[in-house]
Amino acid sequence: MKNRRSCCCLVVLLVAVLLAALTAVLLLWKLHCPRGHNLYSTAAVAADSKECSEIGRDILLAGGSAVDGAIAALLCTSLINPQSMGIGGGSIFTIYDAKKDRVTVINAREKAPQKLTAGTYTGCGPYPKPDPGTHWIAVPGELRGYEKAHQIFGKLPWKSLFEPSIKLAERGFPIPNYLKLFVQHLREEILNSTLRSLFYHSDGSPLANVRYPQLAKTLRAIADEGPDVFYNGRIGQELIADIQKQTRSNSDSIITFKDLNQYAASVTEPLNISLGNYMMYTPPLPSKGAILSFILNVLKDFKFSAESMEGSQRMQTYHRIIEAFKFANGQLNKIIGPKAQSHISDLLSDQLAKLTQQRIDDEVHPRNYYTAEPQTPDKYATSHVSVIDRDGNAVSVTSSINHLFGSKIFSKSTGIILNNQLADFCGPNNTFPDIATVKGQQPPSSMSPSILISQDKTSMMVVGSSGGSMIVSATAQVIMNTLWFGLSMTDAIKKGRLYVNSNNIVNLEREFDKEVEKAMKEKHHEIGQPIRLQSVAQGIFRDHGCIEAVSDTRKQGKSAGY
Ligand SMILES: *[C@@H]1O[C@H](CO)[C@@H](O)[C@H](O)[C@H]1NC(C)=O
Ligand SMILES: *[C@@H]1O[C@H](CO)[C@@H](O)[C@H](O)[C@H]1NC(C)=O
Ligand SMILES: *[C@@H]1O[C@H](CO)[C@@H](O)[C@H](O)[C@H]1NC(C)=O
């Protein structure tokens, strides 16, 4: 009897000790993690919608790699935010392989078709509105990018990445609020285009639910047969035929089946710069990773800290950031055209960073102080997904069909919305470059999906943004907010952002610090109207075993993880 009682006591004691230990571990984890929401212990996906973050997370839970999760989340995004991206567009992946401790870039940006016609491109700008038409469509790279990424880094079968989105496309769903904004905002243009049947009844009243029956069939074919059915098979042939039906003249439709056959994604090395304890990896041309690197390289010697954002000190900090953004604008024209590549090592160099930093004083200068050259026009669009899996692999991927709903050319038989990425060739003074220099080339892109890794590998940031020309400065601000100003990823993304446009006018979000705004005006920075179209950032910060994954609330997004 006595023995049994002491045995019982022992069990109770043991359970109590175990419970206490568990509580302590949980408490330590909480204490060690930044305060706030969006915390996970193992793996996470930050896409620009809750639905797609969850689809990505489910793939990770099923044993998928970060690349598997990213592809599944992107396929879903093409349904939830079809105005932003889809398989009729292109993307750039930055991928971290934890086992090999290596970062790789997969470039699946669209390419200019071979049959460009001189004199067709008179409709560059003013942005964001080139003239409508099939002639702006570039050769889609999206699926070749998924294929390449999956071949190298995939774990689950290709087909399983498509299943959740095929179901979603077949079943349909109430039009998400964010998509509804653009369906309403672009009502006339949509009603006047082949997109009409996706979002409106035949009498012109808006549909409450969106369904994608043709796209579901296309995705099923690609899931079963692989991307060749798109690039070399019947889906591609139907797509080209649909585009040809929508041309205004013979010279107009220039993308051919042969262009699709010839498309290949490339695997390249990332650019890198060191930022204190971190290495930042970001894609080379045609992305603007080099400009992002330049900005952070220029600003890092100011040795910003949390204090730099306190009290009156933050006025000087913002002034310096704005000035660095102006100098970055001054570099933009140097990375377009045939001589672009030769300028990249300069942009990454400490020498140019130092020289530029020394030119940042307390004054606001005339335009030619930062550059005498005319600027490329501002552009707006896109979607970004950040993923970390349970093995510590990471993906930072930005994907786009360029402007809202791309070219607004919808292929009815395949359900694909086509990009208008050739508009990104539009350069200074809204001119299109000599077509001989453009054929088969990828247009410059603001995409800068980045990964930052600490020297001891215990901390990692996976970050990127959408928003066309606003992408680079948005990504830079999120990185500075976390790395230098001491904010959690949640606060870093939430904080009001600024954007210095191609005319060096400073545009502030509505939420932006009003006192700083006042101080910048007094300093004679030219302050523009609040930005209507916003940049949208998705970021994940992992510190030891604590993952904070954040989707931007500007696009009503939400992350998912476990
Ligand atoms: C409608 O489309 C036609 C043909 O593409 C074009 O000429 C016209 O300007 C468009 N109207 C509007 C309101 O977009
Ligand atoms: C950074 O890039 C240079 C040039 O491509 C390369 O030689 C170097 O190994 C890279 N460093 C790291 C840490 O990846
Ligand atoms: C753009 O216009 C400016 C001023 O009109 C001119 O100086 C410059 O040469 C033009 N640039 C190009 C690339 O046409």
Side-chain angles (χ1 to χ4, degrees):
M1 198 62 182
K2 204 176 168 197
N3 260 348
R4 248 181 77 185
R5 193 178 296 165
S6 63
C7 187
C8 193
C9 275
L10 208 67
V11 169
V12 169
L13 198 71
L14 214 68
V15 168
V17 166
L18 268 174
L19 272 178
L22 204 69
T23 315
V25 166
L26 270 176
L27 209 67
L28 272 175
W29 185 68
K30 282 265 186 222
L31 279 178
H32 151 84
C33 289
R35 276 192 306 263
H37 312 287
N38 311 309
L39 296 179
Y40 310 99
S41 62
T42 310
V45 178
D48 65 14
S49 67
K50 178 173 181 276
E51 293 82 352
C52 302
S53 294
E54 287 175 353
I55 281 179
R57 177 211 49 207
D58 292 346
I59 289 288
L60 297 184
L61 271 171
S65 67
V67 157
D68 292 334
I71 293 172
L74 286 169
L75 286 166
C76 165
T77 305
S78 73
L79 310 173
I80 301 288
N81 284 308
Q83 77 283 7
S84 300
M85 58 76 64
I87 63 172
S91 56
I92 297 179
F93 288 77
T94 302
I95 300 169
Y96 177 60
D97 180 336
K99 210 163 166 191
K100 293 195 178 139
D101 187 25
R102 233 177 97 94
V103 181
T104 303
V105 169
I106 293 179
N107 171 355
R109 182 144 173 91
E110 299 93 324
K111 291 181 182 169
Q114 291 297 332
K115 277 174 63 188
L116 293 184
T117 317
T120 310
Y121 298 93
T122 52
C124 279
Y127 274 80
K129 221 181 192 179
D131 56 344
T134 55
H135 55 293
W136 292 108
I137 302 172
V139 188
E142 193 77 14
L143 285 166
R144 284 288 187 227
Y146 297 177
E147 179 187 37
K148 191 65 90 182
H150 183 257
Q151 272 168 3
I152 308 175
F153 303 104
K155 273 171 77 183
L156 294 184
W158 168 257
K159 191 176 166 169
S160 65
L161 313 181
F162 286 71
E163 288 303 334
S165 294
I166 293 171
K167 278 193 201 126
L168 196 60
E170 277 170 350
R171 195 174 62 221
F173 47 89
I175 296 198
N177 285 332
Y178 193 76
L179 171 56
K180 202 184 280 171
L181 288 178
F182 293 106
V183 169
Q184 284 166 354
H185 176 62
L186 299 171
R187 185 171 193 275
E188 293 308 313
E189 283 173 78
I190 290 174
L191 283 173
N192 194 23
S193 77
T194 33
L195 284 170
R196 180 185 180 119
S197 59
L198 265 187
F199 304 113
Y200 287 94
H201 291 289
S202 47
D203 68 357
S205 61
L207 290 166
N209 292 290
V210 64
R211 277 185 68 236
Y212 303 93
Q214 308 95 330
L215 186 58
K217 267 195 231 161
T218 296
L219 292 177
R220 185 166 300 288
I222 296 163
D224 290 340
E225 299 168 51
D228 279 352
V229 71
F230 179 99
Y231 287 96
N232 294 306
R234 64 175 198 286
I235 302 280
Q237 274 159 345
E238 285 170 17
L239 183 71
I240 298 293
D242 272 359
I243 295 171
Q244 263 156 10
K245 273 185 227 150
Q246 296 183 56
T247 57
R248 297 171 309 185
S249 69
N250 276 345
S251 65
D252 231 18
S253 163
I254 35 149
I255 171 171
T256 63
F257 189 51
K258 195 170 167 208
D259 287 322
L260 286 182
N261 303 162
Q262 287 176 344
Y263 187 91
S266 60
V267 181
T268 63
E269 299 279 315
L271 305 176
N272 66 62
I273 58 162
S274 102
L275 292 174
N277 189 30
Y278 288 81
M279 283 299 283
M280 181 176 83
Y281 299 90
T282 188
L285 289 170
S287 103
K288 295 224 167 65
I291 298 289
L292 175 65
S293 304
F294 171 75
I295 291 169
L296 294 167
N297 241 348
V298 167
L299 289 170
K300 76 178 174 189
D301 282 336
F302 287 119
K303 307 230 178 314
F304 289 148
S305 66
E307 255 178 31
S308 317
M309 274 292 165
E310 281 167 16
S312 59
Q313 237 186 293
R314 73 190 194 283
M315 311 308 174
Q316 191 192 35
T317 304
Y318 270 116
H319 169 73
R320 288 170 166 174
I321 292 173
I322 291 169
E323 292 296 280
F325 288 172
K326 289 180 187 173
F327 279 108
N329 280 345
Q331 299 294 326
L332 283 178
N333 283 335
K334 297 183 183 158
I335 60 160
I336 55 174
K339 288 196 187 131
Q341 188 57 43
S342 64
H343 192 57
I344 296 302
S345 55
D346 272 359
L347 279 175
L348 300 180
S349 71
D350 285 336
Q351 204 180 1
L352 182 64
K354 199 88 207 155
L355 277 174
T356 307
Q357 193 226 7
Q358 283 162 1
R359 288 172 66 81
I360 298 179
D361 51 24
D362 268 344
E363 304 295 312
V364 171
H365 299 271
R367 173 83 165 261
N368 63 6
Y369 184 75
Y370 309 97
T371 170
E373 292 179 60
Q375 292 302 309
T376 54
D378 299 293
K379 298 151 189 175
Y380 308 95
T382 316
S383 179
H384 181 86
V385 178
S386 294
V387 186
I388 293 182
D389 70 17
R390 64 181 172 201
D391 298 320
N393 304 307
V395 174
S396 189
V397 55
T398 311
S399 176
S400 181
I401 52 173
N402 206 9
H403 295 166
L404 294 165
F405 300 105
S407 59
K408 302 182 188 69
I409 305 284
F410 176 62
S411 156
K412 281 194 173 165
S413 44
T414 65
I416 295 169
I417 300 172
L418 277 308
N419 71 82
N420 68 337
Q421 213 67 259
L422 292 182
D424 275 4
F425 279 118
C426 291
N429 301 351
N430 286 326
T431 53
F432 200 82
D434 177 1
I435 57 158
T437 65
V438 160
K439 282 181 187 179
Q441 300 297 306
Q442 296 178 312
S445 169
S446 293
M447 294 179 181
S448 35
S450 301
I451 296 180
L452 290 85
I453 302 167
S454 69
Q455 270 160 17
D456 63 3
K457 319 284 176 201
T458 56
S459 298
M460 174 157 64
M461 191 189 320
V462 184
V463 67
S465 166
S466 62
S469 301
M470 296 180 284
I471 287 177
V472 173
S473 58
T475 308
Q477 286 171 84
V478 173
I479 292 173
M480 288 191 274
N481 286 345
T482 23
L483 231 52
W484 296 340
F485 303 135
L487 298 188
S488 67
M489 186 54 87
T490 306
D491 293 336
I493 288 183
K494 195 169 176 192
K495 187 169 187 174
R497 293 195 276 268
L498 60 84
Y499 165 58
V500 180
N501 78 9
S502 56
N503 291 314
N504 282 354
I505 294 170
V506 182
N507 293 281
L508 307 168
E509 288 184 326
R510 282 178 210 287
E511 309 75 39
F512 197 85
D513 189 328
K514 295 290 174 246
E515 280 176 52
V516 176
E517 177 172 354
K518 190 161 162 275
M520 292 306 113
K521 273 185 184 150
E522 280 163 8
K523 233 177 165 32
H524 304 296
H525 283 287
E526 205 177 328
I527 308 290
Q529 294 299 311
I531 305 171
R532 197 165 48 91
L533 281 167
Q534 292 176 309
S535 55
V536 176
Q538 265 71 244
I540 307 184
F541 193 84
R542 196 199 71 202
D543 191 16
H544 295 88
C546 169
I547 297 174
E548 189 186 16
V550 185
S551 299
D552 208 322
T553 50
R554 288 168 182 76
K555 203 169 178 175
Q556 302 166 10
K558 196 163 183 352
S559 67
Y562 67 96

